[in-house]
């Protein structure tokens, strides 16, 4: 049975002063951005020690976001799988419908603390875009969100929501017109605007200190989960599962477990249409260490270091890289990483909707599918905890189109 | 082959400002790049910078991004660039500097990349996403292979860091004129001359300035404030004409080569005081 460990494990010590998680991470950016990253690192370190900052964030998380998010027993899904109990950490019930808001409120408060007056962000599925737009509306900051033109097409409800919240959405027409290109454009904006603008990166990727900051703001997911597990079960879960694109919900869910427990952890990448290059977005499964967007991590690139095109039905996982700490957890063996295909994820959306009355995001459905596979192999006394990172309203039209369903 | 510092001090001793034209390797193909290098070298601009196309160049504006996309669309490989430069190098006299993302260098293997770059005939490297104090051994490896690793300094670099980098620089310092991406800009930043004056006092090596410079008038404004001027997007956009629109309306290659050569000759004249 999984245990609470006596003290922090060495795996949870990262990053070091260079922003390294083992060999991964670091800071590979143009000189123009270096000073802003150092400034951010210092501002974050000070904020993390400042009770006023923490209490302001906690009040927003409680009253605006609605935290803590519930732990939910998926009874009919459990019966269907026919094995271990499946429990869901309901990040989909957060205000704006996903875990992303945990990070954007923290970083928007940091923006004010640093005296910066404008925010930019990238978004894939639009969840981080909406969460950034929301945090900026609440704190009175102007916000520009870069979003791949292909994602603008497939995530229309979120585009509308961002505009409604007063954020300017700039479609990105370069490259594959998805998340990776949105990050490129946001970074280019930041190159010119860095003096008065903060870039709210939405995933646990990018140059140091972003992976650490995003993980820390998301770690409330794992901390609440540990607390709720102790209350509900009197013990820890036997397995924790989360989907991994850039890896922010997984980093937030896993980190407290890595810090203090030996609970088995599983990250689920986007298997897309299959294992051929270009058909998936699973760098931890199929990639190699390389540099993308300012850090060293597993990445899908060719022998010359050119980033490969990737595919996932889920816009939020459609990314060729992954956070450096996941690469470290993979190589150390602390977290197991697997993948789930588009088809299985689509089916999992329907299965969860029709058995639990929960319409989840396509991203989160990757974790739900894996949970059902794991449950089948385990006894009914076992507890599997899934991070249900987001709700699926944004995907309804796309799921319908992909499954060829009639309206 | 002359070293970068020898080439730049020769210009300085003649009261001239060097021009460093930038070209993207393989845009639209390597045969064109080779011919362009011969033409540019014939003008004796000072140095020539060759960009290795990269899929995700975050320091580049739309013109250079598009040229990288065009070059990579024909499956251009790093080895082909080295072969091509090795082929044309015997015809050239000006030092060549590679502009290449660390993503490419690291994946290719830093030692192997530097060895190939040296034998192809490069004198130095600009690696725009490699920070000077990085613990990665690139700087040491460059020293060992006799290649200059050119540091970048920008308007956002704090003064103490400027001094630290300048003291360790070899070849020249690449001063980025503005916080922002590459691309033509109409005016020069107001604080540019002051920043360059400060940097030249700190720096034991020549200072060249780039980003946003595209006109002979700008070169004239800058020539007494720096040792060299880097011009990229204004050249690359002329190469783009070979790929833009449909084939019937495109200029022929000779016309584009002539146009670029005339443009760079104008810049060189502007650099002569």
């Amino acid at each position: 049975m999984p245990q609470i460990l006596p003290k922090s494990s060495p795996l949870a010590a990262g990053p070091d002063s260079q922003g390294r998680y083992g060999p991964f991470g670091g800071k590979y950016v143009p000189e123009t951005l270096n000073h802003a990253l150092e400034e951010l690192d210092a501002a974050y370190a000070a904020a993390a020690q400042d009770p006023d900052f923490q209490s302001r964030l906690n009040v927003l998380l409680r009253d605006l976001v609605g935290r803590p998010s519930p732990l939910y027993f998926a009874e009919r899904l459990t019966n269907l799988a026919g094995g271990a109990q499946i429990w869901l950490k309901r990040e989909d019930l957060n205000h704006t419908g996903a875990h992303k808001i945990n990070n954007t409120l923290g970083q928007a408060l940091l923006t004010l603390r640093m005296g910066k007056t404008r925010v930019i962000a990238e978004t894939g599925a639009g969840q981080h875009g909406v969460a950034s737009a929301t945090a900026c509306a609440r704190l009175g900051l102007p916000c520009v969100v870069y979003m791949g033109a292909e994602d603008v097409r497939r995530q229309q409800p979120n585009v509308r929501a961002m505009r409604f919240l007063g954020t300017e959405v700039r479609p990105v027409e370069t490259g594959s017109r998805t998340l990776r290109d949105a990050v490129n454009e946001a970074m280019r904006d930041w190159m010119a605007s860095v003096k008065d603008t903060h870039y709210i990166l939405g995933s646990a990727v990018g140059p140091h200190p972003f992976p650490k900051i995003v993980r820390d703001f998301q770690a409330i997911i794992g901390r609440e989960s540990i607390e709720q597990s102790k209350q509900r079960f009197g013990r820890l879960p036997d397995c924790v599962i989360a989907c991994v694109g850039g890896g922010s919900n997984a980093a937030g869910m896993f980190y407290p477990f890595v810090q203090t427990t030996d609970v088995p952890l599983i990250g689920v990448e986007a298997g897309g249409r299959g294992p051929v290059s270009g058909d998936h977005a699973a760098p931890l499964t199929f990639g190699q260490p390389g540099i993308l967007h300012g850090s060293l991590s597993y990445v899908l690139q060719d022998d010359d270091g050119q980033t490969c095109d990737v595919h996932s039905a889920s816009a939020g996982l459609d990314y060729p890289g992954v956070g450096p700490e996941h690469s470290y957890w993979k190589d150390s063996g602390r977290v197991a990483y697997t993948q789930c295909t588009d088809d299985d994820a689509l089916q999992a959306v329907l299965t969860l909707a029709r058995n639990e009355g929960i319409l989840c995001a396509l991203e989160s459905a990757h974790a739900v599918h894996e949970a059902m596979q794991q449950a089948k192999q385990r006894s009914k006394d076992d507890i599997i905890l899934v991070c249900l990172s987001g709700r699926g309203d944004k995907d309804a039209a796309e799921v319908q189109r992909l499954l060829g369903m009639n309206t | 082959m002359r070293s970068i510092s020898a080439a730049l001090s020769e210009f300085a001793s003649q009261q001239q400002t060097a021009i460093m034209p930038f070209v993207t390797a393989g845009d639209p193909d390597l045969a064109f790049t080779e011919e362009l290098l011969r033409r540019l070298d014939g003008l004796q601009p000072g140095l020539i910078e060759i960009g290795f196309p990269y899929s995700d160049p975050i320091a580049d504006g739309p013109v250079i991004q598009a040229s990288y996309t065009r070059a990579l669309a024909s499956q251009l490989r790093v080895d082909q660039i080295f072969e091509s430069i090795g082929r044309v190098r015997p015809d050239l006299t000006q030092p060549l500097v590679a502009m290449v993302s660390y993503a490419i260098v690291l994946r290719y293997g830093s030692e192997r990349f530097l060895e190939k770059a040296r034998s192809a005939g490069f004198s130095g490297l600009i690696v725009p996403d490699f920070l000077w104090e990085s613990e990665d051994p690139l700087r040491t490896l460059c020293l060992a292979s006799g290649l200059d690793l050119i540091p970048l300094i920008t308007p956002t670099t704090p003064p103490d860091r400027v001094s630290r980098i300048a003291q360790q620089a070899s070849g020249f310092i690449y001063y980025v004129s503005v916080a922002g991406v590459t691309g033509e800009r109409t005016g020069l930043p107001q604080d540019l001359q002051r920043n360059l004056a400060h940097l030249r006092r700190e720096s034991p090596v020549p200072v060249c300035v780039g980003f946003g410079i595209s006109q002979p008038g700008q070169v004239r404004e800058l020539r007494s404030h720096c040792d060299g001027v880097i011009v990229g997007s204004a050249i690359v956009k002329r190469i783009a004409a070979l790929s833009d629109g449909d084939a019937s309306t495109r200029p022929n290659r000779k016309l584009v080569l002539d146009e670029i050569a005339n443009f760079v000759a104008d810049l060189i004249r502007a650099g002569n005081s």
Side-chain angles (χ1 to χ4, degrees):
Chain A
M1 181 175 294
Q3 305 224 323
I4 298 271
L5 302 172
K7 57 181 177 196
S8 279
S9 80
L11 274 175
D16 66 14
S17 62
Q18 303 278 322
R20 299 278 180 181
Y21 307 82
F24 299 107
K27 201 162 60 167
Y28 301 92
V29 291
E31 173 65 22
T32 301
L33 298 180
N34 184 53
H35 183 61
L37 293 171
E38 286 182 351
E39 219 176 50
L40 177 61
D41 198 18
Y44 175 68
Q49 302 298 319
D50 178 356
D52 289 343
F53 180 90
Q54 294 303 324
S55 96
R56 197 164 173 209
L57 177 57
N58 288 339
V59 169
L60 287 170
L61 289 173
R62 185 191 66 202
D63 299 343
L64 181 65
V65 179
R67 301 207 73 90
S69 65
L71 210 59
Y72 169 82
F73 178 43
E75 188 178 2
R76 294 190 67 214
L77 195 69
T78 296
N79 291 340
L80 190 70
Q85 301 169 35
I86 301 173
W87 291 72
L88 308 176
K89 177 62 174 166
R90 297 292 305 276
E91 291 299 301
D92 63 313
L93 289 178
N94 291 342
H95 178 47
T96 72
H99 69 290
K100 293 291 189 186
I101 189 112
N102 303 329
N103 168 51
T104 60
L105 283 170
Q107 286 204 46
L109 285 174
L110 269 182
T111 306
L112 295 178
R113 195 183 169 96
M114 291 186 290
K116 296 198 169 181
T117 54
R118 173 178 175 259
V119 161
I120 54 172
E122 85 297 339
T123 196
Q127 294 301 102
H128 176 60
V130 171
S132 297
T134 301
C136 288
R138 171 63 184 79
L139 297 174
L141 288 161
C143 178
V144 171
V145 170
Y146 291 91
M147 185 171 190
E150 167 64 10
D151 294 337
V152 168
R153 181 194 66 75
R154 58 183 169 172
Q155 309 278 221
Q156 266 301 314
N158 279 340
V159 175
R160 274 194 292 273
M162 283 184 270
R163 289 182 171 147
F164 206 78
L165 288 158
T167 278
E168 181 190 342
V169 180
R170 293 190 186 161
V172 177
E173 299 282 356
T174 52
S176 56
R177 311 190 311 157
T178 58
L179 180 53
R180 156 192 164 201
D181 311 288
V183 176
N184 285 338
E185 272 317 298
M187 288 207 171
R188 287 175 192 133
D189 180 311
W190 207 31
M191 290 279 288
S193 63
V194 63
K195 216 168 162 187
D196 62 5
T197 297
H198 177 59
Y199 175 18
I200 300 190
L201 229 169
S203 198
V205 301
H208 177 69
F210 280 114
K212 171 186 162 66
I213 290 176
V214 175
R215 173 202 75 193
D216 286 355
F217 283 136
Q218 293 294 358
I220 193 164
I221 305 172
R223 285 198 305 272
E224 283 179 7
S225 294
I226 289 174
E227 202 49 46
Q228 289 166 326
S229 295
K230 287 190 209 161
Q231 282 169 12
R232 295 289 281 272
F233 320 132
R235 65 181 184 90
L236 295 169
D238 298 282
C239 175
V240 178
I241 302 176
C243 67
V244 180
S248 68
N249 89 86
M253 176 58 114
F254 293 165
Y255 182 64
F257 283 95
V258 171
Q259 259 184 318
T260 58
T261 80
D262 64 357
V263 172
L265 307 169
I266 301 175
V268 189
E269 295 194 292
R273 293 182 288 250
V276 175
S277 173
D279 278 355
H280 58 79
L284 290 165
T285 310
F286 298 112
Q288 291 187 55
I291 287 166
L292 176 67
H293 293 148
S295 67
L296 176 69
S297 195
Y298 278 85
V299 58
L300 293 164
Q301 59 177 202
D302 71 12
D303 294 341
D304 280 354
Q306 311 289 356
T307 313
C308 296
D309 286 337
V310 293
H311 163 82
S312 171
S314 140
L317 305 184
D318 200 354
Y319 183 69
V322 66
E325 196 161 21
H326 286 292
S327 293
Y328 181 48
W329 287 338
K330 171 192 157 73
D331 278 10
S332 68
R334 178 61 184 90
V335 180
Y337 293 91
T338 179
Q339 22 132 12
C340 162
T341 63
D342 283 351
D343 287 346
D344 286 340
L346 286 162
Q347 285 307 321
V349 169
L350 282 187
T351 305
L352 187 68
R354 290 173 183 184
N355 288 281
E356 301 292 344
I358 298 171
L359 177 55
C360 77
L362 258 173
E363 291 79 17
S364 322
H366 288 68
V368 171
H369 170 80
E370 177 62 22
M372 294 183 70
Q373 304 310 305
Q374 288 290 325
K376 284 175 188 161
Q377 301 158 24
R378 289 169 176 269
S379 89
K380 62 181 175 44
D381 296 329
D382 275 8
I383 294 163
I384 295 176
L385 177 59
V386 181
C387 186
L388 201 72
S389 55
R391 72 174 182 228
D393 311 46
K394 67 182 179 69
D395 293 320
E398 187 70 358
V399 170
Q400 206 171 40
R401 187 180 74 84
L402 291 170
L403 288 175
M405 292 163 74
N406 295 322
T407 46
Chain B
M1 184 196 349
R2 281 179 308 170
S3 73
I4 290 172
S5 55
L8 286 171
S9 37
E10 198 180 307
F11 270 73
S13 71
Q14 295 170 9
Q15 311 288 308
Q16 287 180 25
T17 301
I19 300 296
M20 180 163 28
F22 169 95
V23 299
T24 296
D27 176 25
D29 53 48
L30 286 167
F32 181 83
T33 307
E34 288 172 31
E35 198 44 43
L36 180 57
L37 289 175
R38 289 191 189 94
R39 290 289 293 270
L40 292 173
D41 191 82
L43 300 169
Q44 304 283 298
L47 303 168
I48 300 176
E49 187 185 353
I50 297 168
F52 281 61
Y54 174 50
S55 55
D56 297 82
I58 58 176
D60 282 305
V63 170
I64 291 178
Q65 277 175 51
S67 79
Y68 284 180
T69 305
R70 285 193 298 274
L72 291 174
S74 57
Q75 318 299 321
L76 181 72
R77 303 301 307 264
V78 168
D79 279 333
Q80 293 173 305
I81 299 175
F82 285 138
E83 284 158 23
S84 168
I85 300 302
R87 214 160 34 232
V88 69
R89 179 75 249 191
D91 304 340
L92 311 179
T93 60
Q94 308 290 288
L96 302 179
V97 181
M99 165 72 88
V100 58
S101 168
Y102 193 54
I104 293 175
V105 176
L106 188 76
R107 181 59 187 260
Y108 194 88
S110 298
E111 281 175 79
R112 186 168 151 245
F113 188 93
L114 296 179
E115 173 50 34
K116 292 267 191 143
R118 206 189 48 77
S119 33
F122 284 100
S123 301
L125 254 68
I126 302 166
V127 187
D129 47 0
F130 187 82
L131 291 174
W132 196 247
E133 60 282 273
S134 170
E135 57 195 358
D136 290 32
L138 188 65
R139 268 172 64 201
T140 327
L141 293 172
C142 280
L143 273 176
S145 63
L147 288 163
D148 290 321
L149 182 62
I150 307 300
L152 292 111
I153 286 179
T154 75
T156 63
T157 310
D160 58 328
R161 193 173 150 82
V162 170
S163 312
R164 203 162 59 237
I165 294 177
Q167 293 317 312
Q168 299 172 328
S170 72
F172 66 92
I173 287 175
Y174 189 137
Y175 186 73
V176 176
S177 71
V178 288
V181 294
T182 58
E184 297 179 48
R185 290 170 176 84
T186 44
L188 294 172
Q190 293 201 329
D191 55 358
L192 179 56
Q193 295 185 0
R194 191 165 44 84
N195 290 346
L196 285 172
H198 172 77
L199 182 54
R200 281 180 111 187
R201 276 196 302 276
E202 295 273 342
S203 174
V205 297
V207 173
C208 299
V209 57
F211 279 48
I213 301 163
S214 60
Q215 296 152 20
Q218 294 170 316
V219 174
R220 273 191 293 274
E221 265 182 75
L222 285 170
R223 69 184 173 200
S224 57
H225 304 279
C226 64
D227 301 285
V229 172
I230 301 143
V231 176
S233 296
I235 292 169
V236 170
K237 81 165 183 206
R238 290 169 162 91
I239 302 174
L242 292 170
S243 311
D244 286 348
D246 68 285
S248 61
T249 60
R250 282 177 204 153
N252 73 33
R253 291 185 166 211
K254 184 172 176 311
L255 212 67
V256 172
L257 287 169
D258 289 345
E259 195 195 336
I260 294 173
N262 288 336
F263 170 65
V264 173
D266 284 345
L267 296 172
I268 292 169
R269 270 191 294 279
N272 293 343
S273 40

